[in-house]
Amino acid sequence: MALTNAQYDLIHRDYENRQLNNRHELERKTAYVYEHVSGYRELEDSVAAISVSQGKRYLEGDEEAMEDLKDMLAEISGRKIQLLIDAGLPENYLQPSYTCPDCKDTGYIDGQKCHCFKQAMILLLYEQSNIREMLQNENFDALSYEYYEGQDLSYFKNAVTTCRNFIKNFNSDYHNLFFYGTVGTGKSFLSNCVAKELIEKGHSVIYFSAAGLFDLLSKYSFDYKNREEQRERYADLYQCDLLIIDDLGTEFTNQFVASQLFSLLNERHMGKKATIISTNLSLEELQNRYSDRIFSRITSHYEICKLTGPDIRMYKKQLLNRK
């Protein structure tokens, strides 16, 4: 999974804290039993003496010593459990408790990452993506064709197929997606559908509105005082598995923006890092607004999906207002 070393360290520290808390909790319970359950500590202390005694017997040639030791320890264990029950405590009161019993809060089972570790990674990837809350509602489970008809429906179905193929082949083929068309026709929705599926598969996905993206790039370029704070987020733009740039064209466009956009798209293309761009601009407007080399980069290296139709967001708001 695509996490930085710092992010892995963060997860490992969480497991270390779990283990520390578990030890402290067990120590607290043990101290309580020693103080309130008469005879329990004496039984526990007797285990070491009995083990030493039976060990000597075994070294002296008594082959039955180890079998006798097992019987003795079993009897002591039974008496300890009975003392706990008599004191009104559960028989497993002094057994360690774990957040994840499967891996016992180590994060690994037989050298492989436990399901809880994988889930922690996915949650971190969601946090990193900037769109965790958005993806709760915008995903393939919420996909509907009811707002489209005719040519609009054909465009949307083709875009959905392209997205599903993009996800299916993400590990084997390098592709980029470019959604363009009229306002509110599902461009951002489909970007988010792809984002959720890939995050759930363990890929790092970063979402930025165009305005937010160029604000970050501007701060990194000119705000030297706080540049170090932005360094990791800036690096993520180039290194994440998938970068989503939403609503391209809504930002204030100038020579700096055009230069930064080309550099970002070019570097990601050279590194075969996938990018999804959505815009309300037409292809002609895109070419006029940005440089020819940006237009060429997008039309040459992106699968282009056109979406048209009514503004679904406005339509849904009108329905709510009628209720």
Side-chain angles (χ1 to χ4, degrees), residues 90 143 178 207 233 278 311 314:
L143 180 68
F178 183 81
Y207 167 95
R233 296 184 73 201
S278 69
D311 187 335
M314 290 300 297

Side-chain angles (χ1 to χ4, degrees), residues 312-322:
I312 296 171
R313 285 173 294 209
M314 290 300 297
Y315 180 72
K316 288 181 177 179
K317 286 181 180 178
Q318 291 172 359
L319 290 179
L320 288 174
N321 291 334
R322 291 174 188 171

Side-chain angles (χ1 to χ4, degrees), residues 260-302:
Q260 290 292 309
L261 178 59
F262 177 78
S263 176
L264 177 60
L265 298 185
N266 189 58
E267 285 295 321
R268 289 189 62 80
H269 173 65
M270 296 296 290
K272 296 191 180 302
K273 297 292 186 179
T275 305
I276 295 179
I277 300 174
S278 69
T279 181
N280 296 326
L281 301 175
S282 67
L283 293 180
E284 182 180 2
E285 289 171 328
L286 179 74
Q287 185 173 21
N288 292 335
R289 184 158 185 161
Y290 302 95
S291 65
D292 286 340
R293 60 180 184 169
I294 290 177
F295 182 77
S296 175
R297 178 69 69 200
I298 291 174
T299 54
S300 299
H301 301 294
Y302 285 66

Side-chain angles (χ1 to χ4, degrees), residues 4-243:
T4 65
N5 289 335
Q7 289 171 321
Y8 271 113
D9 289 343
L10 183 64
I11 295 176
H12 283 125
R13 282 198 299 273
D14 179 62
Y15 278 99
E16 290 171 359
N17 288 333
R18 290 188 198 182
Q19 294 167 22
L20 182 62
N21 291 335
N22 291 340
R23 286 196 296 271
H24 287 167
E25 179 63 10
L26 183 58
E27 289 169 0
R28 183 193 66 78
K29 289 182 176 181
T30 301
Y32 176 86
V33 169
Y34 285 172
E35 182 177 353
H36 295 90
V37 181
S38 178
Y40 190 96
R41 184 163 192 168
E42 288 75 7
L43 283 175
E44 199 155 78
D45 290 342
S46 69
V47 170
I50 291 172
S51 298
V52 171
S53 174
Q54 295 304 109
K56 287 182 178 179
R57 283 179 54 194
Y58 181 76
L59 291 175
E60 291 171 356
D62 188 344
E63 295 183 359
E64 296 182 357
M66 292 298 101
E67 197 63 35
D68 290 344
L69 176 61
K70 290 180 183 179
D71 294 338
M72 292 178 185
L73 293 180
E75 191 226 343
I76 291 173
S77 178
R79 290 168 62 189
K80 287 164 63 180
I81 289 173
Q82 191 59 52
L83 286 177
L84 292 176
I85 294 173
D86 292 344
L89 298 171
E91 63 179 73
N92 64 349
Y93 185 69
L94 290 183
Q95 291 180 6
S97 58
Y98 303 104
T99 305
C100 178
D102 295 333
C103 69
K104 295 182 172 54
D105 289 342
T106 64
Y108 292 85
I109 299 176
D110 297 329
Q112 301 297 318
K113 293 185 182 69
C114 179
H115 59 83
C116 65
F117 195 104
K118 294 178 181 177
Q119 186 61 34
M121 297 173 76
I122 290 173
L123 289 175
L124 197 56
L125 289 169
Y126 268 117
E127 293 293 343
Q128 181 189 43
S129 72
N130 295 332
I131 48 173
R132 180 174 184 175
E133 291 75 17
M134 197 183 305
L135 298 188
Q136 293 177 1
N137 299 314
E138 299 197 356
N139 52 68
F140 280 121
D141 291 337
L143 180 68
S144 173
Y145 297 103
E146 65 177 299
Y147 305 105
Y148 305 89
E149 58 184 24
Q151 186 65 58
D152 300 336
L153 178 59
S154 179
Y155 282 148
F156 188 69
K157 283 185 174 180
N158 287 338
V160 171
T161 299
T162 297
C163 288
R164 293 193 183 279
N165 288 334
F166 179 84
I167 295 164
K168 179 181 177 181
N169 301 316
F170 192 81
N171 290 331
S172 57
D173 296 325
Y174 162 64
H175 287 290
N176 303 294
L177 300 179
F178 183 81
F179 298 119
Y180 81 100
T182 51
V183 176
T185 50
K187 299 182 294 296
S188 298
F189 174 82
L190 289 178
S191 297
N192 292 339
C193 287
V194 173
K196 180 174 175 61
E197 293 293 314
L198 291 181
I199 289 174
E200 290 293 329
K201 293 177 182 294
H203 295 288
S204 58
V205 178
I206 304 292
Y207 167 95
F208 270 101
S209 67
L213 171 66
F214 293 114
D215 180 61
L216 172 62
L217 292 174
S218 176
K219 287 179 179 177
Y220 187 79
S221 297
F222 303 114
D223 187 359
Y224 299 106
K225 182 178 179 181
N226 298 306
R227 190 173 191 178
E228 192 61 34
E229 297 177 10
Q230 306 291 340
R231 184 177 299 279
E232 186 171 331
R233 296 184 73 201
Y234 179 81
D236 286 340
L237 293 177
Y238 293 87
Q239 297 171 4
C240 64
D241 297 332
L242 173 65
L243 173 65

